[in-house]
Structure formats: structure tokens, C-alpha cells
Amino acid sequence: MNRRSFFIHGSRYAGALLAATPVRARAETGRRRLRFGVIAELANEPDRMLRVYSGLLGELSLKLAPRGIEVAPLIITRDLSELARLLAQGEVDMVCETVFVTLDLQQERLVSLTPRLAIVRREQREYHSVFFTNRTTGITALGDLRGRTLVLQASRSTSAYAVPRAELARNGIRLFPAGQPKAPPSAAFYVFAGAELNQAIWVLKGKGDAGAFNEGDWKRLPEKVRAGLVIFHETQPLLRGLVSFRDDIDPAIQRASEEALLDLHHEPPGQRALEQADGITRFERLTARDVDRLAQWRRALRSASGQ
Amino acid sequence: MKLGLGRRYAVYLSAFTLGSITLALAGAGFVSFRQAAILQTQIRNAISTVQSASEEERLRGTAQYLAGRLFNPLFGLDVARLDEEIAQVRRWLPVRDFLVTDADHRIITDGTDAKLSFGDRLEGVWPSIDSGALLLADASGRRQVRFAIQSGGALAGFAAVTFAEDPAQTGLRRIDEQTSSLWTRHRSSLLILFVIAFVFSAVLGAVTSSRLSRSLSRPLADMSRAANAFAQGDLDHPLPTESADELGELARALRTMSQDVRTHEAALREETARLRRAEAERSELLADLGRKNAELERFTYTVSHDLKSPLVTIQGFAGMIGAELGPNAPERIRRDLARISGAADKMQKLLADLLELSRVGRIVNPVEAAAFGDLVHEAIELVQGQLTAKTVEVVVERGLPTVKVDRRRLVEVLQNLLENASKFVVPGRSPRVEIGLRTEPERAFFVKDNGQGLDPAYRERIFNIFEKLDPGAEGSGVGLSLVRRIVEAHGGRIWAESGGPGEGATFVFTLGPECWGEVEAKPPAGHAASSA
């Protein structure tokens, strides 16, 4: 059994064990089903995703069952590519991901996917990334980063990689890995520090010239560390997360699912299930402003990808 | 404050009891404290020995292991992983502080989220890159190990790990703390016990000594009350004679004494009654004697007065008979008439003296103050003829006092004594009379002559009426009786002193206390002489 099949079959097996899931809704061709797919954050802890989303799926099942919709067991994928493939194959109907993962699925993986709901997590609907530098570097704007090294977290990070990368691209600055010999003089370089705290300390210790991460990470920095740093740029706000549906899903299932998700935070069992799902406060419909900003980020990502 | 016998004994006994028990308790407490302190010291020494054994080796091994674990994250400045490593170490080692520094000893992380010491320079002694771990102790005595985080000669930084106690050490420390706590409680308990025992013994000692002293002092107090009652005349006051001890003997002796006192008191009362009766009888006799004396005086006066008339008649008719007989009357008849006339004169003189004697004490002149010297000179004037005739030298002492007397009578006393002195001169001896005042053994005036003196056997008789030692002497023998009556009428007494016949005589008389006045100023020396 390869790793992919382990995740798929393991998750199906684990999902089957969820008592809250209606047994009648076992995979049967032609039945109305909702399939929820996620990416395993930690490859060595697949059960974490089950723990996180079991409550949510259970509540969703309870709400959709009366409408004849079955909620399938959670589908845990190893990475974004696998998720994209399953979406493309029609094996996953709904995903809850960050803006950039969603945009990546849309633009890079060419998945027919449409964001429908915004995720409010821990009462925070949006966030933005900040660019910071050591107070002694003299960097005051993104343009000062040309030829300098940016300390980022990891390639999988939205706020500490994807967003800064897109923001720089939008400002005409392309990012190259540090030591890249073919980089143009106007480019900036990056290194991965692995953790937000490391980013800050690397900048302080001179292993990089600037860093970027979530505004919340900035606030969580130790006071003495933060004291040596200064923010010189903030990005546009970015939604915390998106609930997206495959475009060819049954509209009735989509509609019913959206209504069920929007209704969860009104009742205590639903609130508990949302809290269990990494601190989701509620789901909200996307506004026109949200859609505009998504379009802006989509363009920025496209710029970054055009390098 | 004066304490009674019982309370004094109670205080003594209480102090003794309390002192003894306190001494015993203090001794026991000292021994207990000392032994407990020795035991605690031994336990501490044992704990210290166990604590120090192999600790150094363990710390060095730990440092070596940690240096290997921390090199990669520190070299890559992966603080998040360093924190994870520190957190991991904290799970299996009793770490109190874990500081990781860069090569300049500036703190990279302390493993906490706050990282309060980030960037601080960690001072102190550090090991070199190729030396082993450095073992230190912080200010609180905790062990600290400092070591270089290096690999293959590349130095990533340093670490300073301060260890809290491990379970074994914690156990030993707790044993030490518990022994200390036990020792403290033991000491507190001993102190409390000491205080309780002290208070208890103080109360017990006070009560016991109070009862003991009361049992001892009560008979004494009873005896004291009885003695006071006896002193106030209550001889019937009960005595604690039942006791068989010395106090009982004392009580019985006191009771015997009270009986004797009662017996003697009765005898004394009887004797007093007898004396009172005798005094009454004496008073009655004196009153009777006074009455008889008064009657005798009245009789003497009456006889003296009444006999005067017939005597004048006899003298008259004897004179008439002599005149009628004329010068030719027979010699025998003239001699007889002369005898009759002489006897009548003598009798008249005698009656005059008797009359005068009877007047003393019956006829009282007013008392007046007079200088005794003036009285003397007045008397000398009255007898001046006799004194001159006998060439008597009279010497009067100067500075004689003032007296409050019947002036006329006292001049009469001095007159009689001067006459008496001039009568009994010694032929061939210049007669001399001295008048003065003695002060010892009592104040008394004296009239001293150098005349014939008198036999001591007659010193009292000469004051009897009509008593004449020399029948041929002049006078009626009433003079000295008169003198004594006058002196006695003034509350004094008179007596005669003489070395014997031919030695001269001194008449000394005193006066009653009410008769003495102020003393005149005496001249420095010598006497005032008044010669005849």
C-alpha cells in the first residue's frame, strides 16, 4: 500500500467509524452525497484531521440527512496535488482551505472550483501579512528588498510565503531562492526558516534582511524580539479561509450544504463542532468586496506565477 | 511592703519549688535540644554526602548529550526547534533554567514563549570550546552546568543549564526539611511543654506552699492573736494547746502564765483594796488630827488670850502691893513680890509667844513677791540691836532669788534664826552668820553660824515647842517651833545641821514650788557682807 492509498483508505476506514455518520449513506452510485476533502497538515498524524473535522461532519450529516443528502467520510489527502486530482476526478465535492490554496487549485491545478463561503476563525474573518526588518537595516519599503534576502517560513505557508511572494510580485519584485545564480539584479531572494520565531530571529541575527508573516505572528513574537524589529509594509487583507465547491456538484446539494454550514453556529452542538475544527467561529457568505479582493489576489498570484 | 510570716513562707516555698522545677526543666530541655541538634546535623551530613555523590558525573554526561542535541538547531538558528529541544529536556530532566546563547554569550532562547532574556549577555565563566562542561553553583546553591555547543571544532554557541533538584535530591531535601520541621515542632513542643510545666508548677507550688505555710503559720498567728488579747487584758482568749509540738508547749506555758497573772491580779486587787482602806483610814486620821490641831490651836489661842487678862491683873495688883508697901517693906516681901512680878512677865511673854504660834496657819497674810535678799536685810534691821551687842558679822549672799511668800512671816523666820545665832556665840570667837542659797540636792536657803553648834541627837528636838537645850538661855523655847510652822505653812521643811558642839550650826529650809520666783543676777564672786 503506497502512501496515497494509505491516506485514502485509512481515512475512509476511519470515517466509517464515525458514529455520527448515517450508515445509510454508504457509498452507493447515484445516491446524493457530499464528499469533503482536506489536506493532511502533518503527514505523520493523519488522525489529527479526523479529530478536527469529525464533529463538523457529524453535525453536517444531521442537517443534510433530512434533505436526503448523505455526508461521505472525510477524505484526507497527502498534499495539494492529490486534493486537486480528487477534485478533478469528482471524488471530492467540497474543500475548506486558505485563499491561496484555493486560488492555487483554481489557477495552477485548473480545478473547476468556486469559493462560496468565508471561514471566520477565532472571530477573525481576515488577516494580512506584514513585512518587517531589523531596525538597523534601513529598509523602509518593498523596493528596498531588491538584491536582499527575505526570510520566509516554508513553501506551504500562505501568510509567510505565498502572500509575501504575491505582494512582491504585484510590486514587480520577483523572488528567487537564496544563492540562485541566474537571478536578475532587481530580484529578491528568500530562505526558509521553518518557523515564524526563526524568521524574526534570523532577521535580528542578520541571516536575512527582512521577513514576512501573519500579523498575528507579529503580535505573538516575544517582546524583546519584536523590539529589535520594525514593520515596513502591510499587505491587503486576506480572508482566513474559504469553503469551495466543485463547479459540477449538484446545485441542490451545494445549496443545502451551504445553508447547513451557515446554520451551524446557531446551536450549541454546532458551535462545539466548529470550535473543534481548528477554532472556526462561523461561516459567512462572501461579499462583493470579498470577491473583488479575491480577484486582486488572483491577479497577484498570476503575476508571481508568471516568473 | 511587709509580708506576714505565712505569706513570707509561701513566697519562699513557691520560689524554691518553682526554681527547682525550672532548673529541672531547663536541664532536660538543654539535653533534649542538644541531642536533637546533633541528630539533625548528622542527618544533614548524611544527606549532603548522598547528594554530592555521582552528581558531578551525571551533570557532565548530561552536558555532553545536550551539546550534541543542540548543535544542529543552534547552528541553523532554528530557535523553534531549540525551544522544542529544551521542552523535551525539561520533560526528563529537573531543569530550572535553560539558556542557549550564541558564540558571544548573548541569549538566543530560554525555551519560553516570552523570551524575556533574549539578547542579554550572559556573564560569568564559560568553558573553552574543547574543554568539558563547567560545573557551577548559582546564588541559591543550585547546580549549573555550562558547556559549549560545538561539533567538529565549529562553535555554534553555549548553553547554561541550571538544574532543579531531581526526585532523589528532592526527596533528600524533603527529608532534610521534614527533619528541620520536626525539629522546629519538637522545639516548639518542648517550649510549650516548658511553659505549661512552668505555669503548672508555679500554680502548684503556690498552692502547696500556701497551704503548707498556712498550716505552719496558723498556730503562730493564733498565738500572736492570743498574746495581743492577753496584752489587752483578755486572759480568757482561747489558746491552741492541743498541738503536741513546740507551739503546743508554748500555748500551754502561755495558759499557765495567764493563770498566774490572773491569780496575781486577784491578789493585786485585794492589796489595792486594802491600801485604799488604809488610805481612807489615814485620811480620816489626818482629818481627825487636823480637827484636833485646829481645836488645839483654838484652845491655845483661847487660853493664851484669856490668861492674859488675869495675868495683867496679877501684874497690876503686884505692882500696887509693892507701891503700897513702899520702900520700907520687908525685904522678904519685896523679893516675893519681885518673883510674882517676874513670873507674871515670864508668863506674859510665854502667852504672847503661844498666841503668835497659834496665829501661824490661822491668820494668813496675802502672798507677795519679794526679793529674798530684801527680806534678809529687813530681818537684820529688826535684830540689829542684838547683832551689834554681840558683834555678829552677817554675810548675805548676793543674787538671792525672788520668792512669793507671806512676807511678814518669812521675815519672822529669818529674824528668829538670826536671834538664835546671836544667842549661841562661842566666847572668844568672832561670831559670823552666813545667809545664802543652796541648789544641790535641792534649792534651799540656809543660815549658817559659827556658834556653839548642837549635838546631832538634838537636831529634831530643838524644833519642839518650849524645848530649850540650855535652860538658862534666853527665850521661851517657842521660836524654832514658830519657824518650822511658818516654813511648813509655805510648803517647805526645815532642819538643822551641825558637826557637833562648838562646830557651829546651819539651819536649812526649803519652800514649796509655788513660792519660788526668778533668780537675781549673781555677781561674779564674793558675798555681800552686812556686818553688825
Side-chain angles (χ1 to χ4, degrees):
Chain A
M1 183 183 291
N2 59 26
R3 175 172 280 186
R4 179 190 163 214
S5 61
F6 161 78
F7 277 109
I8 294 173
H9 296 292
S11 63
R12 285 176 179 167
Y13 176 71
L17 294 177
L18 292 173
T21 304
V23 178
R24 277 191 305 120
R26 292 290 164 85
E28 291 177 20
T29 305
R31 295 292 302 271
R32 301 205 315 166
R33 300 178 68 198
L34 175 67
R35 290 163 297 189
F36 180 29
V38 295
I39 304 171
E41 288 183 6
L42 300 172
N44 57 348
E45 292 183 21
D47 60 329
R48 181 178 182 277
M49 305 313 288
L50 291 173
R51 285 198 305 273
V52 168
Y53 289 109
S54 61
L56 178 63
L57 290 181
E59 286 299 312
L60 208 52
S61 297
L62 290 173
K63 288 187 177 295
L64 295 179
R67 303 171 82 162
I69 300 171
E70 176 190 355
V71 176
L74 181 67
I75 299 170
I76 304 171
T77 63
R78 184 182 56 188
D79 53 25
L80 182 61
S81 299
E82 187 176 16
L83 180 60
R85 184 177 57 78
L86 292 176
L87 281 166
Q89 292 173 353
E91 293 185 18
V92 171
D93 303 317
M94 182 185 81
V95 295
C96 291
E97 281 299 341
T98 63
V99 170
F100 274 76
V101 169
T102 304
L103 293 178
D104 191 289
L105 286 170
Q106 287 179 313
Q107 291 189 185
E108 302 296 322
R109 319 288 172 171
L110 302 176
V111 175
S112 297
L113 190 72
T114 301
R116 305 293 299 182
L117 301 175
I119 299 172
V120 179
R121 205 183 285 276
R122 296 187 181 89
E123 296 291 352
Q124 189 185 42
R125 193 171 190 271
E126 297 174 332
Y127 69 96
H128 61 266
S129 290
V130 295
F131 285 79
F132 58 88
T133 184
N134 193 318
R135 290 181 181 278
T136 61
T137 60
I139 295 172
T140 59
L142 291 180
D144 296 335
L145 291 176
R146 288 189 174 88
R148 303 228 191 180
T149 301
L150 195 62
V151 182
L152 301 174
Q153 184 194 358
S155 61
R156 57 183 161 76
S157 171
T158 300
S159 61
Y161 175 66
V163 172
R165 181 166 172 259
E167 186 74 359
L168 285 170
R170 206 170 55 164
N171 285 273
I173 301 172
R174 295 171 63 189
L175 268 178
F176 288 88
Q180 173 62 262
K182 296 179 180 176
S186 61
F189 300 95
Y190 69 89
V191 292
F192 287 134
E196 292 85 354
L197 178 62
N198 288 351
Q199 288 178 260
I201 289 177
W202 283 28
V203 171
L204 276 176
K205 291 290 183 181
K207 288 188 74 172
D209 299 304
F213 50 43
N214 187 328
E215 60 174 317
D217 293 329
W218 172 260
K219 291 175 183 171
R220 283 189 290 274
L221 279 180
E223 186 67 32
K224 292 194 74 172
V225 175
R226 194 167 59 222
L229 303 171
V230 61
I231 293 173
F232 64 92
H233 183 77
E234 294 183 2
T235 66
Q236 288 289 319
L238 190 71
L239 290 169
R240 285 296 306 260
L242 293 169
V243 178
S244 305
F245 291 90
R246 197 163 41 84
D247 286 345
D248 56 353
I249 189 175
D250 180 349
I253 295 174
Q254 177 185 327
R255 197 164 44 250
S257 299
E258 287 177 17
E259 290 171 359
L261 289 171
L262 290 169
D263 194 45
L264 278 176
H265 69 279
H266 291 131
E267 296 170 0
Q271 293 168 3
R272 283 193 294 274
L274 291 174
E275 175 60 28
Q276 185 182 345
D278 266 351
I280 295 174
T281 306
R282 62 185 174 273
F283 296 99
E284 292 181 355
R285 290 195 182 280
L286 292 175
T287 64
R289 186 164 166 265
D290 295 333
V291 175
D292 286 345
R293 282 193 176 155
L294 279 175
Q296 289 176 19
W297 282 113
R298 189 175 294 113
R299 287 193 293 274
L301 188 59
R302 192 174 298 128
S303 301
S305 301
Q307 55 196 300
Chain B
M1 186 178 68
K2 189 176 179 180
L3 291 176
L5 187 63
R7 286 185 180 169
R8 201 160 64 237
Y9 277 131
V11 169
Y12 291 160
L13 281 169
S14 294
F16 177 74
T17 307
L18 197 58
S20 302
I21 293 175
T22 302
L23 199 61
L25 285 173
F30 174 75
V31 171
S32 178
F33 281 161
R34 185 168 175 74
Q35 292 302 320
I38 290 171
L39 180 62
Q40 190 188 21
T41 304
Q42 289 174 347
I43 290 172
R44 278 205 174 130
N45 291 339
I47 289 171
S48 297
T49 304
V50 172
Q51 279 178 327
S52 60
S54 79
E55 185 179 10
E56 189 171 323
E57 186 180 348
R58 181 171 59 81
L59 290 177
R60 289 186 190 283
T62 301
Q64 189 175 4
Y65 172 77
L66 290 176
R69 292 282 299 180
L70 297 176
F71 179 78
N72 285 339
L74 182 59
F75 190 80
L77 207 55
D78 188 349
V79 180
R81 191 170 151 207
L82 282 173
D83 288 348
E84 288 174 6
E85 290 291 343
I86 292 171
Q88 185 69 25
V89 169
R90 283 184 181 278
R91 279 195 281 273
W92 50 268
L93 280 180
V95 172
R96 186 174 184 275
D97 296 312
F98 199 131
L99 301 173
V100 178
T101 76
D102 59 15
D104 294 330
H105 309 304
R106 293 198 178 279
I107 295 172
I108 298 293
T109 181
D110 56 7
T112 65
D113 292 338
K115 294 191 171 27
L116 296 176
S117 55
F118 176 83
D120 294 345
R121 186 177 176 82
L122 193 57
E123 302 294 343
V125 183
W126 290 95
S128 61
I129 189 169
D130 52 355
S131 65
L134 187 64
L135 301 181
L136 303 169
D138 70 359
S140 302
R142 298 185 183 88
R143 301 305 302 266
Q144 188 184 71
V145 58
R146 291 185 172 192
F147 52 93
I149 301 173
Q150 57 88 26
S151 180
L155 178 66
F158 294 91
V161 184
T162 304
F163 290 92
E165 293 166 321
D166 63 17
Q169 286 176 316
T170 304
L172 291 172
R173 182 178 53 78
R174 283 181 182 164
I175 288 173
D176 186 37
E177 288 172 355
Q178 284 184 354
T179 55
S180 296
S181 174
L182 280 172
W183 163 233
T184 303
R185 285 205 299 271
H186 173 66
R187 190 166 49 191
S188 300
S189 300
L190 278 177
L191 285 174
I192 291 169
L193 188 64
F194 180 82
V195 170
I196 291 172
F198 185 83
V199 172
F200 179 74
S201 59
V203 172
L204 186 66
V207 171
T208 305
S209 56
S210 173
R211 294 184 69 85
L212 278 173
S213 65
R214 192 176 298 170
S215 68
L216 181 64
S217 63
R218 181 180 286 170
L220 292 175
D222 291 345
M223 291 297 295
S224 175
R225 280 193 291 275
N228 283 331
F230 284 8
Q232 292 172 3
D234 182 12
L235 296 175
D236 296 325
H237 191 90
L239 284 165
T241 56
E242 301 79 14
S243 175
D245 53 15
E246 291 83 352
L247 288 173
E249 288 180 12
L250 178 62
R252 287 189 286 278
L254 203 57
R255 188 170 63 184
T256 303
M257 186 191 78
S258 72
Q259 289 168 351
D260 291 347
V261 168
R262 196 179 288 116
T263 303
H264 287 103
E265 190 182 40
L268 188 62
R269 276 199 296 271
E270 191 176 332
E271 182 64 17
T272 302
R274 191 185 65 74
L275 287 174
R276 281 180 182 159
R277 285 196 300 275
E279 176 66 19
E281 288 173 3
R282 192 179 73 88
S283 299
E284 194 175 340
L285 285 173
L286 285 174
D288 187 43
L289 187 61
R291 285 192 300 273
K292 286 179 178 175
N293 278 339
E295 191 179 346
L296 188 59
E297 283 175 1
R298 282 194 303 275
F299 172 72
T300 303
Y301 175 78
T302 303
V303 168
S304 308
H305 189 268
D306 291 352
L307 285 178
K308 260 188 165 182
S309 293
L311 194 60
V312 170
T313 301
I314 290 169
Q315 282 178 320
F317 278 101
M320 285 176 65
I321 291 170
E324 285 175 358
L325 289 174
N328 298 320
E331 183 62 24
R332 190 180 55 81
I333 293 172
R334 279 199 300 272
R335 281 200 306 269
D336 290 345
L337 282 173
R339 283 182 183 134
I340 290 169
S341 182
D345 288 343
K346 190 176 179 181
M347 190 168 179
Q348 188 177 18
K349 181 91 169 52
L350 197 62
L351 287 173
D353 287 344
L354 280 174
L355 194 58
E356 188 63 27
L357 185 64
S358 71
R359 282 188 180 125
V360 176
R362 190 168 53 84
I363 298 173
V364 178
N365 296 308
V367 172
E368 60 181 288
F372 192 78
D374 293 347
L375 301 182
V376 171
H377 289 297
E378 194 174 333
I380 290 170
E381 287 297 323
L382 291 173
V383 296
Q384 189 61 51
Q386 287 176 267
L387 295 174
T388 303
K390 294 286 184 68
T391 65
V392 176
E393 181 190 11
V394 179
V395 178
V396 181
E397 186 179 305
R398 286 187 177 178
L400 293 173
T402 299
V403 291
K404 288 179 279 190
V405 295
D406 182 341
R407 180 186 184 102
R408 183 170 157 266
R409 290 291 178 195
L410 207 64
V411 170
E412 203 171 349
V413 166
L414 293 167
Q415 183 183 346
N416 269 295
L417 292 175
L418 284 169
E419 283 177 347
N420 200 52
S422 64
K423 281 180 189 172
F424 301 104
V425 296
V426 176
R429 184 185 295 172
S430 296
R432 174 187 172 89
V433 176
E434 293 176 28
I435 301 173
L437 177 70
R438 285 183 186 174
T439 55
E440 295 293 338
E442 58 184 326
R443 286 200 299 183
F445 294 106
F446 65 87
V447 178
K448 180 181 179 182
D449 61 53
N450 60 348
Q452 295 175 8
L454 65 140
D455 192 319
Y458 300 114
R459 281 187 302 188
E460 284 296 322
R461 284 179 57 187
I462 58 174
F463 292 104
N464 292 341
I465 189 168
F466 304 131
E467 190 74 49
K468 291 173 70 175
L469 299 180
D470 180 5
E474 298 174 15
S476 60
V478 176
L480 289 178
S481 295
L482 184 64
V483 166
R484 184 163 73 176
R485 296 249 0 220
I486 292 170
V487 168
E488 289 177 349
H490 282 82
R493 59 192 176 89
I494 187 169
W495 66 92
E497 298 172 353
S498 176
E503 296 297 327
T506 302
F507 289 87
V508 185
F509 65 93
T510 66
L511 295 172
E514 68 280 3
C515 297
W516 293 96
E518 295 178 358
V519 178
E520 291 179 4
K522 269 189 173 182
H527 294 83
S530 175
S531 54

